[in-house]
Amino acid sequence: MSVKSHRLILIGLLTTALWAEGGPFEKTAELKAADVLPAALVSGTNSQVLDPVENDGYLNIYRLKSKFGEMLVVSTDKLNQRIHEFDAIAQMEKLKGTQEFAKGVENQAGKVVQGAANLVTDPVDTTKKVFSGIGRMFQNIGNTISGNQAPSDGNAVADLSGFGKVERSYAKQFAVDPYSRNSYLQDTLKDVSRAGFLGGTAASFGMGPVGNLSMVSTTDNALKDLIYTKSAQDVATYNSDTLKKMGVSDDLTDLFLRNQNFTNTERTAIVMALSSMPNTQNRQNFIKFAVLTDNGDVAAFRRRQIEMYAAYDAKQAHIQEFRFMDQFAAAILEDGSLLMMAPLDHLLWTQNIANYVASVNQHVASQATPPRKLLWFSGTASSLALKNLAAAGWQVQQKATDRLK
């Protein structure tokens, strides 16, 4: 290596060290809902986003109020889903005044259908200041495989009895995720499905499809078809078989499928996204990251992240392989460029971000030929974050999803 190259590497190491030790740094922010969301999302027919909106440096944390309950929702992507689910709940509630629903309820006395239990839900104490799981991940507090059972990930008795199929049928009818963590949705969906099942029909009680509702998801029609038409066990078999075809070891597959911080939908979305990248090496590295997921926020982040990588591979440039980059999965393009995708709402230049950028830059600078560094994220960044990322040699693409459609 030349003296000039050594000098450039030393300058890079010294610069990133200064970022990590110096400032200025931004702190978490309180925002107004009307400043970050379209008016239709701030106040809708069945829900309202309350002020203030917390930003923990990465994701927005919303307080969503409806007549069905109040909850904290992490990320704008998840907020869209929850608002849609409350609209669907309102439609389901209309069914409870029909004769068909009453008939189904009357029949419950003589039949038993066992549903899912121990739901992990969004509703929490909305009076406390909170941070997303992504914010905690950047604090490097360590990851473990833990957590309660993901909601409605399937029940053998329900599937054998036929109730599971009816429940998925109603989820499709109302264009909602049957494995959603929204406990209000799960309770209402089970009520409606149970009445329909015990009443002897899986129809929509004469209402017809809810045409003005669409499933809030970045996954494709194949994913929707799988989660609506197949039992939880069939979905698990699909995931296991597909990972095996990708060369993922049995032990790693088992750890991934047993990590209950993911819902069935999230696990399957990850598997399908990886499967759509047959020419990308080291896809098992992404599963290794997924195995370490220790909360629902990170599970949703990893699902959205791999979907972004898969879209980039299909529509922008081929991803050669995945590599470890501290706590995140990075991609290497065919020209050697380093690409990092992140489903973030609004990035602030925090101490933790500065430390992470310094760590990545040190790793990159140690290579014989430091690669081009690309950072794509779904949201926006503060002017200070953009300034410092540019100074660190990163090419930033905000609102990246617009270029991945």
Side-chain angles (χ1 to χ4, degrees):
M1 186 180 295
S2 68
V3 174
K4 182 179 180 181
S5 296
H6 278 292
R7 185 180 295 115
L8 290 174
I9 291 174
L10 179 60
I11 291 173
L13 293 175
L14 290 174
T15 302
T16 52
L18 289 174
W19 288 327
E21 295 176 1
F25 301 114
E26 295 176 298
K27 297 181 180 180
T28 59
E30 288 191 350
L31 311 170
K32 290 185 176 180
D35 292 339
V36 296
L37 295 171
L41 289 183
V42 175
S43 182
T45 305
N46 300 296
S47 61
Q48 179 183 5
V49 179
L50 304 178
D51 285 327
V53 174
E54 304 277 354
N55 178 277
D56 65 358
Y58 319 96
L59 297 172
N60 293 339
I61 302 170
Y62 300 96
R63 288 170 169 80
L64 184 62
K65 182 180 180 180
S66 79
K67 65 179 182 180
F68 309 109
E70 186 174 330
M71 62 171 61
L72 291 179
V73 184
V74 176
S75 86
T76 304
D77 181 68
K78 192 64 68 176
L79 177 70
N80 276 277
Q81 180 180 347
R82 294 293 180 254
I83 289 174
H84 167 77
E85 288 174 344
F86 279 130
D87 289 341
I89 291 172
Q91 295 294 321
M92 293 182 202
E93 288 291 327
K94 294 180 180 180
L95 299 182
K96 294 187 176 181
T98 64
Q99 292 181 353
E100 288 85 352
F101 182 86
K103 180 180 179 181
V105 172
E106 289 175 0
N107 289 339
Q108 288 189 42
K111 300 181 180 180
V112 177
V113 177
Q114 182 177 350
N118 301 320
L119 297 181
V120 179
T121 62
D122 278 350
V124 294
D125 184 351
T126 58
T127 64
K128 297 180 179 179
K129 187 176 183 65
V130 296
F131 293 87
S132 71
I134 305 306
R136 294 193 297 273
M137 184 167 62
F138 270 107
Q139 294 172 5
N140 195 26
I141 61 175
N143 292 306
T144 57
I145 303 173
S146 60
N148 296 317
Q149 181 181 359
S152 191
D153 258 13
N155 180 280
V157 174
D159 276 324
L160 286 174
S161 68
F163 176 71
K165 182 177 180 180
V166 173
E167 188 173 13
R168 292 191 300 274
S169 175
Y170 278 110
K172 182 178 181 179
Q173 178 75 20
F174 289 96
V176 294
D177 183 354
Y179 303 110
S180 171
R181 290 186 177 86
N182 186 342
S183 64
Y184 303 121
L185 173 67
Q186 290 293 337
D187 290 344
T188 307
L189 182 61
K190 281 179 171 55
D191 284 345
V192 172
S193 301
R194 186 175 292 113
F197 173 72
L198 295 175
T201 177
S204 59
F205 296 136
M207 288 189 64
V210 185
N212 62 326
L213 299 180
S214 59
M215 187 174 185
V216 182
S217 173
T218 59
T219 54
D220 59 14
N221 290 331
L223 173 63
K224 295 177 183 178
D225 181 66
L226 193 66
I227 65 171
Y228 285 143
T229 63
K230 302 297 181 182
S231 70
Q233 183 56 54
D234 287 341
V235 171
T237 299
Y238 165 84
N239 288 332
S240 178
D241 291 347
T242 304
L243 289 173
K244 184 175 182 179
K245 292 177 182 177
M246 279 189 259
V248 180
S249 70
D250 291 342
D251 288 343
L252 189 58
T253 295
D254 186 62
L255 286 172
F256 173 61
L257 296 182
R258 288 180 181 275
N259 187 329
Q260 294 300 311
N261 292 290
F262 292 96
T263 67
N264 260 357
T265 303
E266 289 166 340
R267 275 191 291 266
T268 308
I270 290 173
V271 171
M272 282 189 167
L274 288 171
S275 181
S276 73
M277 309 168 68
N279 297 318
T280 299
Q281 302 173 23
N282 298 327
R283 287 178 290 175
Q284 69 274 12
N285 281 347
F286 199 92
I287 298 299
K288 290 179 181 178
F289 275 103
V291 163
L292 299 176
T293 299
D294 66 348
N295 63 74
D297 294 343
V298 176
F301 178 93
R302 299 222 190 275
R303 179 254 180 103
R304 291 282 286 110
Q305 184 184 44
I306 191 56
E307 288 176 332
M308 291 176 70
Y309 276 129
Y312 188 97
D313 181 69
K315 300 179 181 181
Q316 292 292 325
H318 174 55
I319 292 177
Q320 185 69 27
E321 64 175 307
F322 285 114
R323 288 186 186 174
F324 293 106
M325 197 61 64
D326 199 356
Q327 297 189 54
F328 295 89
I332 305 299
L333 306 183
E334 284 188 305
D335 65 0
S337 297
L338 172 68
L339 171 67
M340 299 195 73
M341 309 285 279
L344 303 178
D345 287 327
H346 187 68
L347 182 68
L348 300 178
W349 188 253
T350 64
Q351 176 76 69
N352 290 328
I353 281 292
N355 290 341
Y356 184 73
V357 171
S359 175
V360 174
N361 274 16
Q362 288 175 0
H363 172 78
V364 170
S366 67
Q367 300 179 23
T369 304
R372 184 172 57 127
K373 297 173 294 186
L374 308 175
L375 174 59
W376 284 40
F377 47 89
S378 55
T380 57
S382 69
S383 57
L384 182 61
L386 292 173
K387 176 183 175 181
N388 286 329
L389 286 167
W394 287 84
Q395 298 178 27
V396 176
Q397 176 64 57
Q398 302 182 80
K399 298 183 178 179
T401 49
D402 293 341
R403 297 187 58 184
L404 297 175
K405 294 179 181 179

